[in-house]
């Protein structure tokens, strides 16, 4: 059984895009998204406009994964048109390129390191560190990881985290974050004023809430699940972090399509140069990758992921608040 660097080498033949496929996935997703958003305004019955709004949210998730692959330099590189489209989409989805690429690249290089993994990811506190926190620090830590905070990713992760905080931390580096905020708030006011509250609800609020909430939970659950492993920085290695600290989220074929196969997250972390549309092929052809730690959209698994709060170094696992308090 291959492992470590040999396993990374085994994925290299798949780390090349099929240019025509990349363009096909981009254009079809954009066309469907434009059609769904148009439907939220023009379809004759509210139930149809509501269905179009939900569809738009799911398509934003898919388009974000395409954007994410482009930011990894995995697809459509050296194309001025693709760069322009992705720049505009990054502003639209409140994840402008400057902050998304910087934080996400850091996340890949430091995934599951105990004392640096919180940049570009959800914070992880060891039991010892949690016990040393002040009450205010504990509340802030638990608030960040709270299910309602994750569900409200539109506000917490994207508008505030990606845009407001990045701009305030370094205005010169993240002027595009300010631009994203201005465009989004300006567009929101314009839609509400000229088209009414229902148009705002279906054209902006519901699609963004659904897409950002799903995106935030995917990002959380793929690195915070029963069986996840974290390491002290000196004991960390890249391939173990990919296979032991990144989940395979089991989904239906339809949800795999809407999420751009991001559920094959262990493979993506093993080799981020594999295009999203080739990840199932890699899984099928490399048996060692089929033994991944899994989670899913099932309510039981969602609850299990959300209950995990603190890393217990003695037990080498994430524990719930109740387990931490009981001293077990």
């Amino acid at each position: 059984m291959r492992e470590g660097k040999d396993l990374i080498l085994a994925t290299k033949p798949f780390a090349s895009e099929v240019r025509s496929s990349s363009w096909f996935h981009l254009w079809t997703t954009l066309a469907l998204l434009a059609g769904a958003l148009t439907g939220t305004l023009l379809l004759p019955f509210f139930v149809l406009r509501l269905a179009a709004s939900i569809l738009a949210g799911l398509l934003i998730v898919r388009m974000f994964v395409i954007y994410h692959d482009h930011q990894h330099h995995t697809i459509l590189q050296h194309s001025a048109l693709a760069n322009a489209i992705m720049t505009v989409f990054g502003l639209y989805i409140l994840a402008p390129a400057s902050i998304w690429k910087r934080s996400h690249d850091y996340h890949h290089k430091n995934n599951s390191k105990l004392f640096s993994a919180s940049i570009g990811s959800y914070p992880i506190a060891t039991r010892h560190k949690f016990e040393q926190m002040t009450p205010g620090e504990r509340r802030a830590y638990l608030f960040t990881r709270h299910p309602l905070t994750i569900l409200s990713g539109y506000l917490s992760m994207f508008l505030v985290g990606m845009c407001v905080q990045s701009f305030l931390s370094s205005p010169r580096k993240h002027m595009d974050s300010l631009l994203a905020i201005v465009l989004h708030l300006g567009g929101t006011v314009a839609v509400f004023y000229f088209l009414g509250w229902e148009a705002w609800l279906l054209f902006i609020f519901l699609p963004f809430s659904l897409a950002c909430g799903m995106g935030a939970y995917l990002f959380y659950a793929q690195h915070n699940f029963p069986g996840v492993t974290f390491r002290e920085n000196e004991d960390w290695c890249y391939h173990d972090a990919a296979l032991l600290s990144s989940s395979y989220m089991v989904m239906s074929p339809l949800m795999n399509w809407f999420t751009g196969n991001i559920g094959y997250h262990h493979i993506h972390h093993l080799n981020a140069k594999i295009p999203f549309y080739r990840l199932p092929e890699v899984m099928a052809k490399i048996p060692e990758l089929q033994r991944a730690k899994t989670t899913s959209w099932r309510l039981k698994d969602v609850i299990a992921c959300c209950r995990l709060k603190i890393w217990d170094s003695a037990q080498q696992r994430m524990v719930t608040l109740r387990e931490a308090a009981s001293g077990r």
Side-chain angles (χ1 to χ4, degrees), residues 14 26 56 65 68 76 89 100 106 124 133 162 170 172 182 202 205 212 214 219 243 252 265 267 299 310 328:
F14 305 95
L26 174 60
V65 176
H68 155 272
L76 300 174
F89 182 78
W100 172 255
Y106 185 93
I124 300 291
M133 289 179 179
M162 286 286 174
S170 183
R172 289 188 178 182
V182 171
L202 299 177
F205 182 76
C212 295
M214 282 184 62
F219 196 58
L243 298 177
S252 68
H265 212 61
I267 303 175
L299 182 60
I310 302 163
R328 285 187 295 165

Side-chain angles (χ1 to χ4, degrees), residues 61 65 218 221-222 246-252 255-269 276 279-280 283 289 292-297:
V61 174
V65 176
L218 280 166
Q222 288 172 328
S246 307
S247 69
Y248 166 48
M249 182 170 278
V250 181
M251 306 185 205
S252 68
M255 285 306 297
N256 272 328
W257 188 87
F258 277 121
T259 59
N261 295 320
I262 201 65
Y264 295 83
H265 212 61
H266 61 303
I267 303 175
H268 170 65
H269 266 270
F276 71 95
L279 291 173
M283 183 86 155
L289 297 177
K293 298 177 180 180
T294 64
T295 185
S296 77
W297 288 108

Side-chain angles (χ1 to χ4, degrees), residues 174-195:
H174 301 301
M175 283 301 296
D176 55 354
S177 295
L178 177 62
L179 179 59
I181 295 169
V182 171
L183 291 174
H184 189 77
L185 295 182
T188 297
V189 171
V191 169
F192 199 100
Y193 182 80
F194 290 108
L195 300 177

Side-chain angles (χ1 to χ4, degrees), residues 58-134:
L58 292 170
L59 288 166
I60 289 173
V61 174
R62 176 174 171 81
M63 184 60 207
F64 189 89
V65 176
I66 296 173
Y67 169 70
H68 155 272
D69 264 27
H70 182 266
Q71 295 301 302
H72 271 300
H73 301 300
T74 300
I75 61 171
L76 300 174
Q77 294 305 294
H78 312 300
S79 166
L81 177 58
N83 289 341
I85 291 171
M86 299 305 178
T87 298
V88 171
F89 182 78
L91 295 173
Y92 169 74
I93 197 55
L94 299 170
S98 68
I99 182 59
W100 172 255
K101 180 161 179 58
R102 182 175 67 84
S103 61
H104 196 64
D105 284 353
Y106 185 93
H107 164 67
H108 269 258
K109 292 175 183 176
N110 296 275
N111 169 37
S112 82
K113 286 183 182 178
L114 273 177
F115 298 107
S116 57
S118 296
I119 299 175
S121 185
Y122 284 90
I124 300 291
T126 63
R127 183 171 175 173
H128 176 69
K129 181 179 179 181
F130 187 78
E131 290 170 349
Q132 291 184 321
M133 289 179 179
T134 66

Side-chain angles (χ1 to χ4, degrees), residues 117-179:
S118 296
I119 299 175
S121 185
Y122 284 90
I124 300 291
T126 63
R127 183 171 175 173
H128 176 69
K129 181 179 179 181
F130 187 78
E131 290 170 349
Q132 291 184 321
M133 289 179 179
T134 66
E137 289 171 336
R138 288 186 185 186
R139 285 193 294 270
Y141 172 77
L142 295 175
F143 174 80
T144 302
R145 295 177 60 88
H146 196 280
L148 291 179
T149 305
I150 297 168
L151 185 63
S152 61
Y154 175 21
L155 177 65
S156 61
M157 182 175 178
F158 287 85
L159 186 58
V160 174
M162 286 286 174
C163 294
V164 175
Q165 289 182 348
S166 66
F167 176 72
L168 292 178
S169 68
S170 183
R172 289 188 178 182
K173 285 184 179 179
H174 301 301
M175 283 301 296
D176 55 354
S177 295
L178 177 62
L179 179 59

